[in-house]
Amino acid sequence: MESIELYTWGTPNGRKVSIMLEELALPYKVIEINIGKGEQHQEEFVRIAPNNRIPAIIDPQGPGGQPLQLFESGAILIYLAEKTDSELFPQSGRDRVLTLQWLMWQMGGVGPTFGQAHHFLFNPKQVVPYGQQRYHAETLRLYAVLDKRLEEVDYLAGEVYTIADIATYPWVARFERHQVALQEFPNVQRWFNAIGTREAVKQGMAVPFYN
Ligand SMILES: N[C@@H](CCC(=O)N[C@@H](CS)C(=O)NCC(=O)O)C(=O)O
């Protein structure tokens, strides 16, 4: 099987995809896009990812055997699961719908909010108290939602580990940057520790380097 090209950097959205590729044991080649140096705006990358953001993939053996370029981490997770018939995106029933629900929650809530919390709280270029308070409060609200869900079930979709967990884990791994004390959310902490023991997660979190 030809390797999938993964365009990525050492950030939560990039790591969702490297964890997924590791979980599926698919061969892949990493192409680093240094977003600190603005490489996401280079013409060659924008032809692959017109939204100027990592991650993106090129699958030489996409649908119909034709190459496929894909951006948006949630879409990439769904695509890779369906390509391989993986139960990481359950194929029917309640687990499938709940996986989608929590994946959308991550994509629409956790990612954008934690990202803004990092912007305002972690080595900010300018201290903006209103922005700090707004995004920190919203981050804490999302942690409370996550903690309540994980009080009821082992994983976001229920009893099975899915792409919803894969999408959320690398963001929670940045808990220090968004100034959250993980011990205040014991169910999140238990889930976080359990997922962190998976070999694929350890490997995926170190792509393209560990930070
Ligand atoms: N919704 C997009 C968000 C991607 C995103 O924001 N990626 C960040 C890194 S985590 C990025 O490329 N940032 C570059 C920039 O802000 O210019 C996805 O999930 O793929």
Side-chain angles (χ1 to χ4, degrees):
M1 190 187 282
E2 274 185 81
S3 293
I4 289 174
E5 291 179 8
L6 168 61
Y7 295 78
T8 195
W9 192 239
T11 69
N13 287 319
R15 278 160 181 166
K16 295 173 190 176
V17 180
S18 45
I19 290 172
M20 183 66 175
L21 289 162
E22 293 287 340
E23 292 282 6
L24 298 172
L26 285 171
Y28 67 103
K29 181 175 136 199
V30 174
I31 296 104
E32 295 186 12
I33 302 296
N34 185 335
I35 62 174
K37 287 192 180 158
E39 289 176 5
Q40 69 275 35
H41 302 295
Q42 284 175 359
E43 212 182 305
E44 205 181 327
F45 178 65
V46 176
R47 272 201 295 271
I48 300 163
N51 194 38
N52 314 80
R53 298 281 186 271
I54 64 97
I57 60 166
I58 299 181
D59 182 357
Q61 290 156 323
Q66 298 301 308
L68 174 76
Q69 300 186 168
L70 201 58
F71 67 96
E72 278 297 325
S73 58
I76 296 171
L77 294 179
I78 292 173
Y79 169 70
L80 291 174
E82 292 193 331
K83 172 185 170 77
T84 54
D85 286 332
S86 167
E87 277 303 320
L88 290 171
F89 183 28
Q91 290 173 18
S92 63
R94 182 183 228 28
D95 286 348
R96 181 177 177 87
V97 182
L98 293 185
T99 299
L100 267 181
Q101 171 185 270
W102 287 102
L103 179 65
M104 297 296 161
W105 175 80
Q106 189 290 310
M107 293 296 298
V110 168
T113 302
F114 292 12
Q116 291 301 322
H118 296 166
H119 182 79
F120 284 105
L121 294 166
F122 183 72
N123 294 336
K125 290 197 177 92
Q126 193 190 334
V127 174
V128 183
Y130 177 75
Q132 292 186 329
Q133 284 151 22
R134 175 175 168 80
Y135 287 105
H136 192 241
E138 180 61 4
T139 295
L140 290 173
R141 187 191 68 78
L142 290 163
Y143 267 82
V145 172
L146 185 58
D147 201 61
K148 186 162 186 300
R149 174 65 177 160
L150 294 170
E151 188 181 354
E152 297 157 0
V153 286
D154 286 345
Y155 296 103
L156 281 171
E159 298 316 317
V160 286
Y161 169 72
T162 68
I163 54 175
D165 302 292
I166 292 175
T168 308
Y169 177 87
W171 281 102
V172 172
R174 291 263 161 107
F175 63 92
E176 283 173 348
R177 287 196 190 191
H178 43 257
Q179 297 181 7
V180 165
L182 217 49
Q183 66 273 19
E184 287 175 15
F185 300 96
N187 302 295
V188 177
Q189 193 167 41
R190 184 252 314 141
W191 166 90
F192 179 72
N193 291 342
I195 291 177
T197 63
R198 297 178 70 89
E199 205 45 46
V201 171
K202 288 184 202 161
Q203 297 296 327
M205 286 297 284
V207 173
F209 45 78
Y210 191 78
N211 70 339

